[in-house]
Amino acid sequence: MKNILLAIILIPILTYSQSSKTYLELVDNAKTKKSAEQIEKLIVGTWEFQKLTDKNGKTIAEVKHIVNDTITATEFVSRPNMRIEKDKTYELFGCENAANCESGIWEYDSKAKIFKMTFDKPKYNVPIDKLAPGLLEQLKKSGTLIEFTNSEIEIAKITQTELKIFEFLESDGKELKYNLKVYKKNNYR
């Protein structure tokens, strides 16, 4: 009897961050439970960025970024608006930096539960239009020029009028840390 009592007392209590689920399972559990068909129907339209919130719904107006452990930069929160068409094309507009706006084609991967946007034109980790041709070739040869051809969105919530998209934060892989980009559907078309 003493052994049984001791075993019961020593059973650890798991917290959310110590759960036995993998990080990917935590992400998957936080995503919308709507079907692919529902998402593909609801996503079509013009979505205007409203705000960035923490996972508890508190609005975040600015984000501090530390660069090289010495420089602190303040980002005043803004995200582009999105126009998503039924013909599987999309466009980001209203970007603070025009280079961040893009267009292309979209698809919803129902297995991974990811909204994937493939760019019409690739993007790079440096502004290639501002580089001297010799430097551009050097970056290509050295492998430091990184080409991006698509981006992926993971949806936390979607309704007829509201879209919440995860903006994942740095994590140790055990706890799900994120903010939410909140969009409102604009039906003025």
Side-chain angles (χ1 to χ4, degrees), residues 6-19:
L6 183 60
I8 292 172
I9 293 172
L10 294 177
I11 295 174
I13 297 173
L14 296 177
T15 65
Y16 179 69
S17 65
Q18 296 171 321
S19 86

Side-chain angles (χ1 to χ4, degrees), residues 17-72:
S17 65
Q18 296 171 321
S19 86
S20 59
K21 294 183 179 186
T22 67
Y23 183 77
L24 292 177
E25 288 173 321
L26 292 173
V27 171
D28 196 48
N29 287 339
K31 290 180 190 178
T32 181
K33 303 300 182 229
K34 296 210 183 292
S35 71
E37 294 79 25
Q38 290 171 311
I39 291 169
E40 288 183 0
K41 183 179 176 188
L42 291 169
I43 198 82
V44 172
T46 299
W47 295 96
E48 293 182 348
F49 177 74
Q50 298 296 299
K51 61 186 173 181
L52 182 69
T53 69
D54 65 14
K55 62 183 173 184
N56 298 313
K58 182 180 174 193
T59 299
I60 301 168
E62 57 185 53
V63 178
K64 302 281 185 204
H65 298 280
I66 298 173
V67 182
N68 297 332
D69 295 327
T70 57
I71 301 169
T72 301

Side-chain angles (χ1 to χ4, degrees), residues 117-174:
M117 300 183 299
T118 303
F119 312 148
D120 284 340
K121 298 178 195 170
K123 294 179 172 259
Y124 299 90
N125 59 326
V126 295
I128 63 168
D129 58 329
K130 295 183 175 41
L131 296 177
L135 181 55
L136 182 59
E137 286 307 311
Q138 275 184 306
L139 291 173
K140 285 180 180 178
K141 287 179 184 174
S142 69
T144 55
L145 181 67
I146 301 170
E147 180 181 270
F148 302 97
T149 57
N150 64 55
S151 65
E152 297 174 344
I153 291 176
E154 299 190 59
I155 300 170
K157 178 182 177 186
I158 186 168
T159 68
Q160 291 282 354
T161 58
E162 186 178 58
L163 174 64
K164 292 183 178 181
I165 297 172
F166 288 105
E167 189 167 281
F168 294 105
L169 302 173
E170 206 171 306
S171 173
D172 61 5
K174 296 177 185 171

